[in-house]
Amino acid sequence: MNIGVISNCQGEGVAKCIIAMNPSVNVNFFMSTDVMNGTHNIEDIFSNHQYVVLQKSALDTNLVEQHKDKIIMFPSIAFSGFHPDMTYVRGKNKNSGAVETVFTPMYSYNSSIVLYAFLKGKSRSETLEMFSAEVFERLGFFREWHIAKQLLIEEADSVDLDIRDCFRIWEQKRNFMYSFN
């Protein structure tokens, strides 16, 4: 059996889990951006796979409807409750003009507070002072857990996946997410 997985970077882990659960299955992972930009032909993916495991946000809804008998949907997993300050930063490359991700020692993740401080010309010590309860409160970081939890549950619900019981178990453990996605 051939199974295709179309997703953002989370799909690679999904593909590996499918293989771990059934090593006799042939699984191919396709980055959704590569499908959208034409690197991989979507019709070929559907014709060459008995099932396509598809992240909800990965494709056009009309295409999903067209192939609904082959599609198994899964949610986009994002939870900013542990890291409300974490964000991506993108900007135009001065040479090529292409929009690119700004990489830091945290790879593609950045701090919204540090970004703000940088854009405002703050010193290192002024930036460090911004990591305070007062600033976190003003930015809504202390409320982020509940908001992020609700958003993740709603995202899972949208593909008929009830994660409420799982979330209760996750909450009892330490960090279950080491980034926001």
Side-chain angles (χ1 to χ4, degrees):
M1 176 182 291
N2 291 325
I3 297 176
V5 177
I6 302 174
S7 172
N8 64 16
C9 58
Q10 295 174 354
E12 187 173 8
V14 170
K16 288 177 181 177
C17 286
I18 295 169
I19 293 167
M21 290 186 289
N22 188 346
S24 67
V25 173
N26 179 42
V27 180
N28 298 296
F29 167 60
F30 304 94
M31 278 291 286
S32 52
T33 52
D34 290 340
V35 173
M36 288 185 241
N37 72 19
T39 300
H40 299 291
N41 182 291
I42 189 64
E43 290 302 333
D44 288 346
I45 294 171
F46 279 106
S47 64
N48 294 325
H49 297 88
Q50 283 80 16
Y51 294 100
V52 174
V53 179
L54 177 66
Q55 191 167 36
K56 179 184 163 209
S57 59
L59 288 181
D60 175 286
T61 340
N62 294 328
L63 200 56
V64 170
E65 186 59 31
Q66 212 177 340
H67 297 282
K68 66 182 175 193
D69 295 338
K70 284 189 164 193
I71 293 176
I72 300 166
M73 299 289 281
F74 74 98
S76 180
I77 304 298
F79 180 76
S80 55
F82 289 114
H83 308 286
D85 179 45
M86 191 177 276
T87 189
Y88 292 114
V89 176
R90 294 186 172 97
K92 274 192 177 178
N93 181 306
K94 289 180 183 177
N95 298 324
S96 70
V99 175
E100 296 178 349
T101 299
V102 175
F103 288 90
T104 69
M106 296 189 319
Y107 190 63
S108 59
Y109 300 121
N110 289 269
S111 161
S112 60
I113 292 174
V114 171
L115 175 63
Y116 173 84
F118 172 78
L119 293 173
K120 295 294 184 182
K122 303 282 185 189
S123 69
R124 179 181 285 192
S125 61
E126 289 172 315
T127 301
L128 288 172
E129 287 173 14
M130 295 174 73
F131 286 89
S132 68
E134 180 185 334
V135 171
F136 281 28
E137 180 63 39
R138 275 201 334 246
L139 295 174
F141 288 174
F142 295 131
R143 294 182 302 280
E144 187 64 22
W145 177 277
H146 301 289
I147 294 166
K149 176 181 177 179
Q150 188 59 39
L151 289 172
L152 180 56
I153 288 171
E154 288 172 7
E155 173 71 8
D157 284 345
S158 74
V159 295
D160 298 322
L161 180 64
D162 184 351
I163 62 167
R164 285 166 185 79
D165 289 340
C166 292
F167 204 96
R168 279 190 278 281
I169 293 166
W170 299 337
E171 283 181 304
Q172 294 170 6
K173 299 181 180 196
R174 298 187 141 199
N175 288 6
F176 59 86
M177 297 277 293
Y178 295 100
S179 70
F180 57 76
N181 66 354

